């Protein structure tokens, strides 16, 4: 076997030869290759006939088993198979070439079995390319970086077209891994940068080909050359056949989607595209070709309206990707250096403004670009970072943007960006912190559309048996939920299941969106606060129904749920042995038990003789007697209660004067006659109280009020003042103003109130 801590390219192994004699070979040698044939990949069947489905499933099973066998090989055996097995490279190339993309018409699987097989093949191919792009798997298994770059370059394990296909097929959900893969490939083999420079003109030739097919450019002429008058008339988007129009739109959609996916995952390639004038060529193509294609799709007659809608969807998708590609190029080549504070910031700002100014003649492109990425925000960032920018130039640019909106007959949406005092600082901090926040514009429903083709590694959640997670209802079944968790943990094994469940619940059980946001560190604030190693919550067991039961027979002698021992002798099934119905009816034992109770009511005690020292309470004689006759009792029960209504308290009982005995002298009687009216006047209920008493009470109330803390006595008012012509004092003016403001309160405006008050006191007869 190979020696430890030695690169694979320097290792020597000893193996038996064909004749049984041992021989020493390099670790990477063609004779160490295993004899195994990898079958090519075939796309899922379109019509879904049983024979084609069976063939696809059989091919997919062979590919999956072979790739899993390859991934399980040791490090040296794996690289021998990868480098020297041509059938393996044909298998991988066939998948990159034929795997359905996201918007293919036939990308939807015909059956769940086909979808599962497509997903298995997709995952196996991705893991194979991931291992092929890794030069160091562990401390013992690695290849010298320079030799690794030479191996992958000379054996065509990776090239620019393959890398572009990898980005468009595996970009969603795996962008972070793909970025590391491609960055390692370009780092270990810089020759790929020169290959990329040679590829960009080929990509630009795609736009020229589309213009030529649409009759917008002559064959052999560039986009900047005018069309000659004597040129042979070519078909246009309106006159070409329907199949040609479909091919052009599919070609455009595939090309723009692939370029955008590559630049989005590997931003370092933006400089190569930018150096070839890709931005100006792309905007010119957009302005020339897009209106013609839109008119053709809108005005041509299609037998199937759904097919027309699909073409319009693909064309709109292509337009959006072209706008986003332009933004990526400008952001990473011009705006990013300004935000990072590099040298020559003025040069980058000048270049960005020059690009924006070149967009002004392209009215349609400028309005679409400004709709997704408002130019006002970028100009404000430049003004915040570089205050010396010419205000006249920026004003001219913004006015040109407004004019572009007016020329296309559309209304510009209101901008919702933050003030630049906070926006630039937040963007600058994000860039300096190593995790720049890229401003993205997503189309409505972009994240909610069902991902199709090879991009969809997982099934879209379907309605089924719902499960409950922490009180919330999960729209997927338990089996589908376990499948989502296992697929995520295959790529992110260090995350806890509890954290993944919270992420799935937050993003509508879309596993690709969860993986994308985790790898790009764009989780919701509520998820950032969670522990990423949080385990799965334990399902709480519901208490037994028997613990919460409530019954009239609880805790009786036969309650087997609360008693461990029950008298079984008292329990029998059916009749007792030796007893019949007549014996049960003749059993009068319960009557004998009640006899003693009723005998106690037969004893009537007429008279009880008390012995010395005994009390009536011993015999119950001091109890209340309901039949007692109190007719002649003299107890005045309740007569003297202090309730204010007793006649005895209000007027004491007196003997009438006629019935009095005259035992006193006459003079004494005369004095009594004079004093008695006086005494009666005191307790008499007077109709009108004494005014003097009322005045005394009022004076007492005023004195008590004046003794309170903070009391200010009201001064006398003087509204008359001095004679006319002598002037008035301030107090007189204030009193007159107060009287004027309050005269309606005590004047003749409350006659009804005062009349009611007099009537209530009895001063006015009713």
């Amino acid at each position: 076997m190979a020696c430890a801590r030695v690169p694979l390219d320097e290792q020597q192994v000893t193996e038996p030869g064909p004749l049984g004699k041992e021989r020493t070979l390099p670790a990477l040698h063609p004779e160490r290759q295993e004899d195994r044939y990898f079958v090519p990949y075939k796309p899922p069947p379109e019509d879904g006939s049983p024979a084609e489905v069976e063939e696809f499933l059989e091919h997919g099973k062979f590919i999956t088993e072979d790739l899993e066998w390859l991934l399980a090989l040791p490090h040296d055996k794996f690289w021998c198979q990868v480098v020297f097995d041509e059938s393996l490279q044909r298998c991988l190339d066939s998948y990159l070439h034929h795997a359905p993309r996201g918007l293919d018409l036939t990308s939807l699987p015909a059956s769940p079995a086909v979808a599962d097989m497509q997903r298995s093949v997709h995952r196996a191919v991705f893991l194979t390319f991931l291992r092929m792009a890794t030069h160091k798997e562990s401390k013992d298994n690695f290849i010298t970086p320079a030799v690794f770059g030479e191996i992958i370059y000379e054996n065509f394990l990776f090239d620019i077209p393959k890398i572009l296909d990898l980005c468009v097929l595996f970009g969603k959900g795996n962008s972070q891994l793909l970025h590391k893969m491609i960055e390692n490939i370009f780092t270990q083999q810089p020759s790929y940068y020169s290959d990329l420079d040679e590829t960009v003109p080929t990509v630009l030739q795609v736009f020229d080909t589309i213009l030529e097919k649409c009759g917008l450019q002559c064959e052999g002429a560039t986009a900047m050359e005018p069309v000659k008058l004597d040129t042979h008339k070519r078909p246009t988007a309106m006159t070409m056949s329907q199949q040609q129009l479909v091919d052009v739109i599919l070609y455009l959609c595939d090309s723009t989607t692939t370029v955008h996916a590559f630049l989005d995952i590997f931003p370092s390639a933006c400089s190569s595209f930018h150096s070839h004038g890709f931005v100006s060529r792309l905007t010119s193509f957009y302005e020339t070709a897009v209106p013609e294609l839109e008119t053709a799709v809108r005005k041509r007659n299609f037998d199937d309206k759904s097919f027309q809608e699909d073409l319009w969807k693909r064309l709109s998708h292509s337009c959006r990707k072209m706008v986003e590609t332009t933004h990526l190029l400008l952001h990473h080549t011009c705006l990013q250096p300004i935000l990072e504070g590099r040298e020559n910031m003025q040069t980058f700002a000048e270049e960005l403004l020059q690009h924006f100014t070149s967009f002004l003649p392209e009215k349609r492109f400028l309005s679409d670009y400004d709709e997704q990425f408002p130019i006002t925000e970028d100009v404000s960032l430049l003004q915040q970072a570089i205050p010396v920018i010419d205000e006249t130039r920026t004003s001219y640019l913004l006015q040109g943007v407004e004019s572009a909106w007016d020329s296309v007959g559309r209304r510009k949406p209101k901008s919702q960006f933050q003030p630049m005092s906070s926006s630039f600082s937040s963007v600058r901090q994000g860039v300096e912190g190593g995790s720049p926040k890229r401003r993205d514009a997503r189309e409505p429903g972009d994240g909610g559309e069902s991902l199709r083709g090879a991009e969809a590694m997982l099934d879209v959640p379907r309605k089924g048996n719902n499960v409950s997670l922490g009180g919330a209802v999960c729209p997927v079944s338990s089996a589908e939920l376990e499948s989502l968790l296992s697929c995520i943990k295959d790529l992110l094994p260090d995350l806890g299941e509890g954290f993944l469940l919270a992420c799935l619940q937050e993003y509508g059980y879309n596993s690709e969106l969860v993986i994308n946001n985790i790898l790009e560190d764009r989780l919701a604030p509520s998820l950032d606060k969670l522990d990423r190693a949080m385990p799965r919550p334990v399902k709480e067991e519901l208490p037994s129904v028997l613990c919460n039961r409530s019954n009239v027979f609880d805790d009786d002698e036969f309650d087997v749920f609360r008693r461990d021992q029950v008298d079984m002798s008292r329990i029998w099934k059916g009749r007792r042995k030796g007893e019949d119905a007549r014996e049960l009816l003749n059993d009068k034992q319960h009557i004998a038990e009640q006899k003693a109770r009723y005998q106690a009511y037969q004893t009537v005690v007429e008279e009880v003789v008390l012995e010395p020292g005994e009390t009536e309470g011993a015999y119950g004689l001091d109890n209340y007697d309901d039949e007692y006759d109190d007719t002649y009792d003299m107890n005045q029960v309740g007569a003297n209660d202090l309730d204010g209504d007793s006649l005895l308290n209000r007027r004491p009982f007196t003997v009438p004067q006629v019935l009095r005995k005259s035992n006193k002298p006459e003079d004494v009687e005369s004095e009594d006659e004079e004093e008695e009216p006086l005494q009666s006047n005191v307790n008499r209920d007077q109709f009108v109280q004494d005014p003097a008493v009322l005045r005394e009470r009022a004076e007492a109330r005023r004195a008590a009020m004046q003794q309170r803390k903070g009391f200010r006595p009201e001064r006398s008012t003087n509204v008359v003042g001095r004679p006319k012509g002598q002037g008035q004092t301030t107090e007189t003016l204030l009193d007159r103003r107060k009287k004027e403001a309050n005269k309606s309160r005590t004047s003749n405006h409350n006659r009804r109130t005062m009349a009611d008050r007099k009537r209530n006191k009895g001063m006015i007869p009713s």
Side-chain angles (χ1 to χ4, degrees):
M1 291 299 295
C3 300
R5 303 299 175 91
V6 177
L8 181 63
D9 53 281
E10 299 179 4
Q11 293 179 10
Q12 300 288 330
V13 295
T14 302
E15 293 182 350
L19 301 178
K21 185 179 180 180
E22 292 187 354
R23 57 179 179 173
T24 302
L25 297 175
L28 289 176
H29 195 273
E31 295 186 6
R32 300 193 66 207
Q33 170 192 348
E34 298 289 339
D35 188 11
R36 198 178 186 96
Y37 180 75
F38 292 83
V39 297
Y41 170 82
K42 292 184 178 181
E46 299 182 7
D47 54 355
S49 62
E52 292 182 349
V53 170
E54 184 179 358
E55 181 184 4
F56 173 78
L57 294 178
E58 185 178 6
H59 271 78
K61 183 179 180 181
F62 290 154
I63 295 174
T64 304
E65 291 177 352
D66 291 342
L67 293 181
E68 289 178 353
W69 169 83
L70 176 67
L71 293 172
L73 290 177
H75 186 249
D76 54 342
K77 290 283 188 178
F78 172 82
W79 278 102
C80 287
Q81 204 73 26
V82 167
V83 174
F84 302 112
D85 192 346
E86 297 181 358
S87 65
L88 172 61
Q89 298 303 321
R90 287 196 297 268
C91 174
L92 297 177
D93 291 346
S94 64
Y95 185 82
L96 296 180
H97 185 262
H98 296 291
R101 269 58 174 174
L103 293 176
D104 288 342
L105 286 173
T106 60
S107 60
L108 287 178
S111 65
V114 174
D116 294 339
M117 183 57 65
Q118 172 65 27
R119 185 164 53 251
S120 300
V121 175
H122 185 83
R123 181 175 181 273
V125 172
F126 176 70
L127 293 179
T128 303
F129 277 110
L130 181 62
R131 190 175 183 184
M132 289 169 54
T134 306
H135 71 281
K136 183 177 182 181
E137 296 183 2
S138 64
K139 294 181 179 179
D140 299 330
N141 300 323
F142 64 95
I143 304 175
T144 305
V147 178
F148 170 78
E150 184 178 352
I151 290 175
I152 62 175
Y153 190 77
E154 297 297 334
N155 293 278
F156 297 96
L157 301 184
F158 291 98
D159 52 27
I160 299 302
K162 284 185 180 181
I163 294 174
L164 293 175
D165 289 333
L166 287 173
C167 292
V168 74
L169 284 175
F170 304 100
K172 288 189 177 181
N174 306 290
S175 59
Q176 195 71 20
L177 291 175
L178 275 176
H179 174 75
K180 293 181 179 179
M181 286 174 51
I182 300 174
E183 186 178 26
N184 187 53
I185 292 171
F186 276 80
T187 301
Q188 307 306 332
Q189 182 53 268
S191 300
Y192 283 108
Y193 281 106
S194 59
D195 292 350
L196 180 61
D197 289 335
E198 297 176 1
T199 306
V200 176
T202 306
V203 177
L204 293 174
Q205 185 64 32
V206 172
F207 301 142
D208 296 338
T209 303
I210 295 176
L211 292 175
E212 180 183 346
K213 294 294 183 181
C214 296
L216 302 174
Q217 179 179 341
C218 294
E219 185 176 1
T222 62
M224 303 302 294
E225 295 179 359
V227 180
K228 297 181 180 180
L229 297 177
D230 57 349
T231 303
H232 180 67
K233 196 170 184 180
R234 306 184 65 85
T236 63
M238 288 295 296
T239 59
M240 68 173 57
S241 64
Q242 180 174 324
Q243 186 59 41
Q244 289 178 339
L245 177 63
V246 172
D247 293 340
V248 167
I249 294 179
L250 293 180
Y251 188 37
L252 175 63
C253 181
D254 183 66
S255 302
T256 55
T257 304
T258 303
V259 172
H260 174 266
F262 175 65
L263 295 178
D264 189 25
I265 293 174
F266 189 58
S268 300
C270 291
S271 57
S272 299
F273 280 79
H274 186 263
S275 61
H276 286 79
F278 193 84
V279 174
S280 60
R281 294 287 298 275
L282 183 61
T283 56
S284 176
F285 168 80
Y286 190 99
E287 189 73 17
T288 305
V290 168
E292 294 292 331
L293 293 175
E294 287 183 347
T295 303
V297 175
R298 190 186 304 113
K299 294 185 177 181
R300 292 186 64 151
N301 296 325
F302 291 87
D303 298 334
D304 188 0
K305 293 299 180 182
S306 61
F307 184 74
Q308 183 181 11
E309 292 177 359
D310 184 77
L311 286 180
W312 181 264
K313 179 180 178 181
R314 290 174 179 273
L315 183 57
S316 301
H317 179 80
S318 305
C319 296
R320 184 174 63 256
K321 292 305 176 183
M322 285 188 282
V323 171
E324 291 178 358
T325 301
T326 304
H327 173 73
L328 283 175
L329 293 172
L330 295 180
H331 179 80
H332 289 289
T333 58
C334 300
L335 192 58
Q336 189 76 10
I338 297 175
L339 298 177
E340 293 176 353
R342 299 181 189 174
E343 297 181 359
N344 302 324
M345 293 174 57
Q346 184 69 30
T347 304
F348 291 114
E350 181 69 24
E351 186 178 2
L352 181 61
L353 290 177
Q354 183 64 34
H355 281 296
F356 285 156
T357 306
S358 66
F359 294 166
L360 294 180
E362 321 292 347
K363 304 294 185 181
R364 171 63 190 276
F365 174 81
L366 184 59
S367 61
D368 290 346
Y369 182 91
D370 187 63
E371 183 179 6
Q372 294 191 45
F373 308 99
I375 296 180
T376 308
E377 296 185 12
D378 293 334
V379 172
S380 300
L381 280 174
L382 293 179
Q383 292 175 344
Q384 183 74 12
I386 307 175
V388 296
I389 292 181
D390 187 8
E391 291 289 340
T392 305
R393 186 176 184 181
T394 57
S395 300
Y396 171 76
L397 175 61
L398 297 179
Q399 290 177 3
V401 174
E402 298 292 338
S403 176
W405 281 93
D406 296 337
S407 62
V408 297
R410 296 163 58 189
R411 180 177 299 177
K412 182 179 179 180
K414 295 182 179 179
S415 179
Q416 299 178 355
F417 65 96
Q418 299 176 348
M420 299 323 299
S421 58
S422 61
S423 176
F424 176 77
S425 60
S426 61
V427 174
R428 181 70 173 272
Q429 291 175 0
V431 173
E432 292 176 352
S435 58
K437 299 297 182 181
R438 180 172 56 86
R439 287 177 295 140
D440 236 348
R442 303 292 183 190
E443 61 173 324
D446 189 31
E449 292 181 359
S450 60
L451 301 176
R452 294 180 256 171
E455 296 177 357
M457 295 180 62
L458 300 174
D459 282 336
V460 178
R462 296 181 294 271
K463 296 182 179 179
N465 298 328
N466 296 342
V467 295
S468 177
L469 295 175
V473 177
C474 174
V476 297
S477 64
S478 57
E480 291 173 331
L481 183 62
E482 294 298 331
S483 176
L484 293 176
L485 289 175
S486 63
C487 290
I488 299 177
K489 288 186 70 66
D490 287 343
L491 297 176
L492 305 169
D494 56 328
L495 299 181
E497 291 188 358
F499 176 74
L500 295 180
L501 285 174
C503 294
L504 286 173
Q505 187 176 359
E506 176 72 19
Y507 295 107
Y509 298 92
N510 188 339
S511 59
E512 296 192 359
L513 187 59
V514 170
I515 296 174
N516 184 56
N517 290 336
I518 291 176
L519 294 179
E520 295 186 1
D521 197 15
R522 294 192 303 182
L523 290 174
S526 59
L527 298 177
D528 278 334
K529 300 177 183 177
L530 298 178
D531 182 12
R532 300 206 170 193
M534 182 174 61
R536 192 169 190 171
V538 181
K539 203 174 205 180
E540 296 183 359
E541 294 283 342
L542 294 177
S544 175
V545 179
L546 299 178
C547 299
N548 298 330
R549 65 187 275 273
S550 180
N551 198 285
V552 294
F553 300 108
D554 286 347
D555 297 323
D556 63 2
E557 57 178 329
F558 301 113
D559 190 358
V560 295
F561 300 110
R562 288 181 171 82
R563 292 180 181 271
D564 297 333
Q565 296 180 355
V566 179
D567 187 5
M568 301 300 295
S569 63
R570 301 195 57 192
I571 302 175
W572 64 88
K573 184 177 181 181
R575 295 181 180 180
R576 275 189 178 183
K577 294 182 179 180
E579 292 186 358
D580 55 6
R582 187 170 297 280
E583 290 180 359
L584 292 176
L585 294 176
N586 293 335
D587 185 7
K588 307 298 181 182
Q589 183 180 359
H590 62 284
I591 298 178
E593 293 176 355
Q594 300 294 332
K595 188 174 182 180
R597 177 180 297 178
Y598 286 101
Q599 285 179 352
Y601 290 103
Q602 296 177 1
T603 305
V604 179
V605 180
E606 297 291 345
E607 187 177 30
V608 179
V609 180
L610 296 178
E611 297 296 334
E614 294 181 349
T615 60
E616 295 180 357
Y619 298 91
L621 300 177
D622 57 349
N623 294 336
Y624 173 73
D625 188 2
D626 188 52
E627 298 181 358
Y628 177 74
D629 187 9
D630 57 356
T631 305
Y632 299 101
D633 286 351
M634 297 302 295
N635 296 329
Q636 298 179 357
V637 180
N640 294 324
D641 291 346
L642 300 178
D643 53 1
D645 295 332
S646 177
L647 296 177
L648 298 177
N649 290 334
R650 178 182 297 182
R651 181 176 296 174
F653 176 76
T654 56
V655 180
Q657 189 174 5
V658 178
L659 301 178
R660 289 181 186 178
K661 297 180 180 180
S662 57
N663 296 329
K664 296 182 182 181
E666 295 181 359
D667 54 352
V668 177
E669 292 179 0
S670 61
E671 292 177 2
D672 292 339
E673 292 176 359
E674 294 176 359
E675 292 177 1
E676 189 169 352
L678 265 172
Q679 185 71 17
S680 61
N681 287 337
V682 175
N683 296 326
R684 192 158 54 103
D685 190 7
Q686 299 177 356
F687 179 74
V688 179
Q689 297 184 6
D690 188 1
V693 177
L694 295 178
R695 284 193 294 271
E696 292 178 0
R697 293 178 182 174
E699 187 64 29
R701 285 195 300 270
R702 284 192 293 271
M705 186 182 299
Q706 294 176 3
Q707 292 178 0
R708 295 180 183 174
K709 184 177 180 180
F711 174 76
R712 298 177 61 186
E714 185 178 359
R715 61 182 181 84
S716 59
T717 58
N718 180 20
V719 296
V720 178
R722 300 175 183 175
K724 187 175 182 180
Q726 297 183 8
Q728 305 297 334
T729 62
T730 306
E731 290 78 3
T732 302
L733 296 177
L734 293 177
D735 291 341
R736 290 179 178 178
R737 185 182 304 170
K738 183 178 179 181
K739 178 181 178 182
E740 180 67 22
N742 300 320
K743 66 180 181 179
S744 62
R745 183 170 61 87
T746 57
S747 181
N748 201 23
H749 297 276
N750 55 354
R751 289 175 293 180
R752 177 171 297 180
T753 303
M754 299 304 295
D756 293 342
R757 182 178 177 186
K758 291 181 180 180
R759 184 178 295 106
N760 292 336
K761 290 186 176 182
M763 301 175 64
I764 302 176
S766 58

